[in-house]
Amino acid sequence: MPVIQVAIQSLPPETKKSLISSLTATAAQVTGIPEAKFIVFIAEHPADAIGIGGRTLQELKAEAPH
């Protein structure tokens, strides 16, 4: 069974459901493998556990213009 893994900041349940559906449909279309064969894992990380350029995503979001 093909596995799709995504590491991302925390998401609302509806967004995760949509992401799983879209990733599965696209992968099935591209590979020709039936959607039922795909497994999707979403690893969620809080913004203070994601680093970009030596700073946390939480810091970067706090400084971004609103």
Side-chain angles (χ1 to χ4, degrees):
M1 292 193 154
V3 175
I4 299 170
Q5 296 183 22
V6 178
I8 195 165
Q9 68 180 352
S10 299
L11 298 171
E14 345 36 266
T15 304
K16 286 187 279 192
K17 182 173 174 46
S18 179
L19 181 60
I20 290 168
S21 177
S22 297
L23 289 171
T24 301
T26 300
Q29 180 183 15
V30 170
T31 64
I33 298 170
E35 287 187 19
K37 300 291 184 182
F38 282 89
I39 298 171
V40 178
F41 292 108
I42 298 176
E44 294 182 281
H45 304 282
D48 65 347
I50 300 171
I52 302 170
R55 303 179 67 206
T56 68
L57 181 57
Q58 185 175 23
E59 292 171 316
L60 295 171
K61 283 182 164 184
E63 295 173 5
H66 294 35

